[in-house]
Amino acid sequence: MNSNELRKTFLDFFEKKGHKVVPSSSLLPTDPSVLFTTAGMQQFSLYLAGKKDVISDFGSCHLASCQKCFRTDDIEEIGDDTHHTFFEMLGNWSIGQDESGYFKEGAINLALEFLESIGLERKRMHITVFGGEGDILKDDEAINIWKTKGIASIRECSKKDNFWGPVSLTGPCGPCSEIHYDRGESFGCGRDDCGPNCDYCKRYVEIWNLVFMQYFKNESGDYELLNQTNIDTGIGFERLLSIIQGNNSAYDTDLFTDVISEIKKMSLNEDERAYRIIADHIRGSVFLIEAGVIPANVGQGYILRRLIRRFIRYGNILGLKKRFWVPLVEITINKYKDIYPEINKKEIYDIIEKEEDRFSLTIDRGLKIISEVNKDLSGKEAFDIYQTYGFPIEMIKEELDKKGISINDKEFELEVKKHQEVSRIGAEKKFGGVGTGENTPSLHTATHLLHSALRKILGEDVHQMGSDINNERLRFDFSFSRKMTPEEIKEVEDLINSKIKEGLKVKKEIMSLDEAIKSGALSFFKEKYPEEVSVWTIYNEDSGEIFSKEICAGPHIDDISKLKQFKIIKEESSSSGVRRIKAII
Ligand code: GLY
């Protein structure tokens, strides 16, 4: 089954089951607090929350769609088997059921029937369900239904894994059941403890998320029972397609094979990761431009600029010449234009062409400057070439290396890190909208809380190894030699949430570096701080007890009760001896 057939089979199946097929909404959501559409349910949010009437607008409480989605969290991870910027999501909904509606059992039956109709076997399905947490009860109803369905296993998971939504700060949400599919031993790592969510292999793949929407998360972060119940489901289309086609990765399915073979044909060098980055970013750029985004230094336009410059840069690495992307854009448009006729636009070529020209001017200027360099450079001098001419950071070292000119690496990396911190904060402030601009200092403060909580729970050997914040989440890398247990993750979350409840205050003091270090303030890249530093302390105003103290440029919020709630969404390996946590507030 090719991609067009799979999409059609899904939508036809649900149409036959009485669902109204609704076209994909734009990649740019109407909700200003969210940068892009990341899930199929977004266009139905108000119906799911009971604020609009689904029957009067769609003629049915049962809907199905194939939705264009875009995620920015993991742009650096594109190139592996599973990450994409643009992707599609298949879904079905039963909203505010009348007597014809369905809830958990109906959704489970439909999911099983559809998956079997495309050749998947229920005895290979492993189900994760919500096991209860805090005030929200374990999903016994779903567990009892799954027990009767002849699936391979049922596992109870925490809120972090099996409670879905909301996409924004507030909105409909609920416990969910995920269907993980066992692709068989040949895809496995062979470890005794291998199973769904295995860290070592892709034998078990999550294919479908069934959300049983029963709650509305309100502005104070509390979960209110909705006046109606809904079914909201999401299938990662690329993922299902790669299973159906027997591939490890969607990059090996018909969605990408034409474009990747064209890239290979033109390339002077072999680099599988570069092929995938180019193919992904071209597809992402085509769909962003179609949605109305133009390259800019902020917001959605900044993401587009980044994608275009990145695919051009990877094209250069492969030895591809100016305008190499023209046939690739054409192949991409041809691949999708029957499904999304709106992408067939000349404007797409014009916008990419202009951006490529702007980018090459920058590169030419930078190369000229570098050609004039005839002595080894300090890290700061090398970095100034970026600062002054906008020449891409990663190319400065490469070009200097070619000339046999060395730079002070450590100092250069430090300048880059300092710069990333500043520009990240700048870019996020400009994203605007609820919880983004204002969110940056909040996530920054949450990072300090996390650092300190990890040291209290895992031990003082834990040190910050890196940190990054975008408009949706914080990412924190720290030294620790093994995977954290679910209990440790929960302990860290609980400790932070208890401090948020206590309403600890945050204060800034300026002092000499010596004094700061003597006072026990944690530091990062200690040797490079200026003589005078800012120290940020998070403390209990009544007892004076200090929870966290770090040397940091800021900015931070003044009262951590504003964070409302802290949640770890991922804990994974970053590199040897370094773990990575992604968390949201
Ligand atoms: N709304 C369900 C999902 O995106 O997984």
Side-chain angles (χ1 to χ4, degrees), residues 39 41 89 164 209 211 232 234:
M41 52 68 70
M89 193 181 282
W164 196 90
N209 185 17
V211 186
D232 158 41

Side-chain angles (χ1 to χ4, degrees), residues 62-74:
H62 297 154
L63 309 174
S65 79
C66 175
Q67 173 67 46
K68 297 179 276 190
C69 297
F70 195 98
R71 289 191 184 165
T72 55
D73 301 24
D74 300 308

Side-chain angles (χ1 to χ4, degrees), residues 38-42 71 89 93 164-165 167 206 208-211 213 232-235:
T38 56
M41 52 68 70
Q42 263 156 280
R71 289 191 184 165
M89 193 181 282
W93 290 268
W164 196 90
V167 276
E206 186 209 323
W208 206 334
N209 185 17
L210 311 181
V211 186
M213 281 189 167
D232 158 41
T233 85
I235 298 182

Side-chain angles (χ1 to χ4, degrees), residues 50 154 221 228 268 277 323 332 369 376 412 465 479 584:
I154 302 173
Q228 64 186 52
L268 303 180
I277 292 172
R323 310 286 190 248
T332 305
I369 299 303
D376 290 352
F412 183 71
M465 301 299 284
S479 51
I584 54 174

Side-chain angles (χ1 to χ4, degrees), residues 217-272:
K217 187 174 177 191
N218 66 23
E219 274 165 11
S220 0
D222 299 324
Y223 295 90
E224 299 163 3
L225 266 183
L226 278 173
N227 287 330
Q228 64 186 52
T229 52
N230 309 295
I231 287 297
D232 158 41
T233 85
I235 298 182
F237 175 64
E238 279 76 359
R239 218 177 256 191
L240 185 60
L241 185 68
S242 55
I243 292 180
I244 294 293
Q245 296 190 358
N247 295 314
N248 267 326
S249 163
Y251 291 106
D252 301 324
T253 67
D254 71 284
L255 287 177
F256 285 106
T257 42
D258 291 348
V259 79
I260 288 185
S261 67
E262 183 66 21
I263 301 170
K264 277 188 184 158
K265 215 162 73 195
M266 297 192 285
S267 299
L268 303 180
N269 313 312
E270 253 179 59
D271 184 340
E272 190 63 35

